[in-house]
Amino acid sequence: MSKNKLWALGAVVALMVAFTAGLYTGVAQNISHTVFAQTTSTITIDLSGNKPPSDVDVSELWKAWALLKANYVPTHASSTIPTDQQQLYGAIAGLTASYGDPYTVFFPPADAQVFEQDVNGSFGGVGMELDNDQNGNLIVVAPLKDSPAQKAGILTGDLILSVDGTSTQGMVADDAVKIIRGPIGTSVKLSVLHASTTKPVDISIVRDTINIPIINNYERSDGVYVIELYSFSANSADLFRGALRDFITSGSNKLILDLRGNPGGYLDAAVDMASYFLPVGDTVVTEDFRGKQDPIVHRSVGYNVFAGKNLKMAILVDQGSASASEILSGALQQHGVAKLVGTRTFGKGSVQQLMDLGDGAELKVTIARWLTPNGTSISDGGLHPDIEATTTQELKANNQDPQTDAAVKYLLGQ
């Protein structure tokens, strides 16, 4: 029997490894284990019928193993010889890497133990979600609101070129997180290339315990009600229900849901939130296994509290909106509940399973992808807004927000 854990990627929000949208380099002490875990299940993995592929000479692996053991001489560049166990783990890691998926990863026992500790505890971080772009570069999906990273000037779309002098070229986000993390109060130096510049800058950030914000809601003077949702945590659905109650009490029928910079989290939270706007049975998202097993359709439970009411809704999205943000946005957009305003979303929609290999080693494997109600894969370029609106850091610094302005203009019919 193998212990298996299922995450929504994209950035899931992953706090140590990329499990719903990427990886957080910091985590809140009290909810670190709740931000991305979806379900825990146990399955039987039967390897008895597996045979070496007939068109591959597997003996080449053992030839290479024997040649290395017989001929390798340590030098000043590499003064140690790996043990047989380390060589085996290296072979498994290489096999896993050959799939070219940064979210399909082998964890030897030490890394697996660190992962378990991180998702169940707290550690020092800088508060940003990392991922690899299509070119393999290390990219910032989103800095957390009021995190050390955001305060230091880290922006969505930034490329991290090096960490404490170590180049990130060819480095997967999982490995980058390991070296960016560290004791609270210590500093990490990042070489950063902002999207709007051609010359990298060095940014030093003091690590801290990261408190992940969840929600903020208020009514504007023009009568438009705003709910800002920062993450899909274990209790975010309950907080969202409270914010909707405040919205209804306000008497407004014009709602902005701000999901910019929200890298995702619990799938169940996204489905529950969508259910406040959809009738029972409507598809929220489909878990597609590409024929390896029957798809799983996640449907609205049908709270549908705005049925028959004149609700007018806009959802703000940007490249930092990922995973559960895209699931909720895609469902409400494609069912005609809300218009998306802003820029293209991140495009992270895959599911991983963590499988026990024995002796403490684990394998994280991408097993499915998320499809929106109309069958579009979230991973294929993300969601595109109905109303395009962009902003810049300079405008934000001057308290100007063209994306919110565009949403308000739509809601007020201007």
Side-chain angles (χ1 to χ4, degrees), residues 313-329:
M313 183 177 182
I315 302 177
L316 295 177
V317 294
D318 62 10
Q319 195 179 7
S321 307
S323 180
S325 289
E326 294 172 294
I327 289 172
L328 178 59
S329 298

Side-chain angles (χ1 to χ4, degrees), residues 37-59:
Q38 299 300 314
T39 62
T40 300
S41 59
T42 305
I43 64 172
T44 299
I45 300 178
D46 184 5
L47 301 178
S48 60
N50 284 13
K51 296 180 180 179
S54 59
D55 57 343
V56 176
D57 185 2
V58 182
S59 67

Side-chain angles (χ1 to χ4, degrees), residues 66-384:
L67 288 170
L68 284 166
K69 291 182 75 72
N71 296 282
Y72 176 75
V73 175
T75 67
H76 67 282
S78 178
S79 59
T80 60
I81 296 178
T83 65
D84 287 349
Q85 188 66 64
Q86 289 171 331
Q87 292 179 65
L88 174 62
Y89 287 155
I92 296 173
L95 173 63
T96 305
S98 71
Y99 281 78
D101 177 10
Y103 312 112
T104 295
V105 181
F106 168 66
F107 293 139
D111 288 351
Q113 185 178 26
V114 168
F115 167 71
E116 293 288 349
Q117 291 172 348
D118 287 339
V119 299
N120 288 291
S122 64
F123 56 85
V126 299
M128 61 183 180
E129 189 192 4
L130 298 179
D131 209 327
N132 294 99
D133 65 14
Q134 294 181 343
N135 298 316
N137 300 313
L138 191 66
I139 189 171
V140 177
V141 177
L144 285 174
K145 183 178 176 63
D146 296 328
S147 65
Q150 185 186 64
K151 293 175 181 178
I154 298 294
L155 308 172
T156 291
D158 283 352
L159 297 182
I160 307 299
L161 306 183
S162 69
V163 181
D164 285 336
T166 299
S167 172
T168 61
Q169 185 174 4
M171 184 182 295
V172 298
D174 300 52
D175 294 334
V177 168
K178 294 176 188 176
I179 58 177
I180 293 176
R181 297 181 317 153
I184 294 171
T186 61
S187 296
V188 59
K189 182 178 179 182
L190 308 178
S191 177
V192 178
L193 181 63
H194 296 306
S196 59
T197 63
T198 57
K199 184 178 180 180
V201 295
D202 290 335
I203 299 179
S204 292
I205 309 175
V206 178
R207 300 177 177 99
D208 201 352
T209 298
I210 306 305
N211 296 308
I212 302 177
I214 298 177
I215 201 167
N216 182 42
N217 57 289
Y218 57 92
E219 185 177 6
R220 292 166 48 104
S221 59
D222 54 18
V224 174
Y225 203 88
V226 179
I227 299 176
E228 299 170 346
L229 186 65
Y230 306 122
S231 67
F232 289 77
S233 62
N235 61 339
S236 61
D238 289 338
L239 295 174
F240 186 69
R241 182 179 66 245
L244 286 181
R245 185 184 301 112
D246 292 342
F247 165 58
I248 294 172
T249 302
S250 75
S252 174
N253 69 332
K254 300 173 180 63
L255 176 64
I256 291 177
L257 175 58
D258 191 346
L259 296 179
R260 290 176 296 179
N262 184 327
Y266 266 128
L267 166 66
D268 288 349
V271 173
D272 199 51
M273 292 178 194
S275 297
Y276 285 104
F277 304 92
L278 301 176
V280 65
D282 273 10
T283 297
V284 176
V285 70
T286 298
E287 202 172 335
D288 175 50
F289 299 88
R290 289 184 176 266
K292 292 183 183 269
Q293 68 180 70
D294 292 338
I296 299 173
V297 181
H298 300 271
R299 301 183 183 278
S300 166
V301 299
Y303 305 139
N304 202 20
V305 297
F306 297 101
K309 298 180 180 179
N310 185 27
L311 173 69
K312 199 167 185 181
M313 183 177 182
I315 302 177
L316 295 177
V317 294
D318 62 10
Q319 195 179 7
S321 307
S323 180
S325 289
E326 294 172 294
I327 289 172
L328 178 59
S329 298
L332 299 188
Q333 178 194 40
Q334 293 175 15
H335 283 296
V337 174
K339 297 288 187 183
L340 302 191
V341 181
T343 59
R344 180 183 63 83
T345 62
F346 188 80
K348 180 58 60 61
S350 58
V351 185
Q352 277 64 45
Q353 216 166 32
L354 193 64
M355 302 179 179
D356 184 10
L357 294 180
D359 297 325
E362 294 181 321
L363 192 65
K364 178 166 67 75
V365 183
T366 298
I367 62 167
R369 58 180 183 157
W370 298 118
L371 303 182
T372 59
N374 68 7
T376 299
S377 172
I378 291 175
S379 293
D380 294 339
L383 304 176
H384 294 271

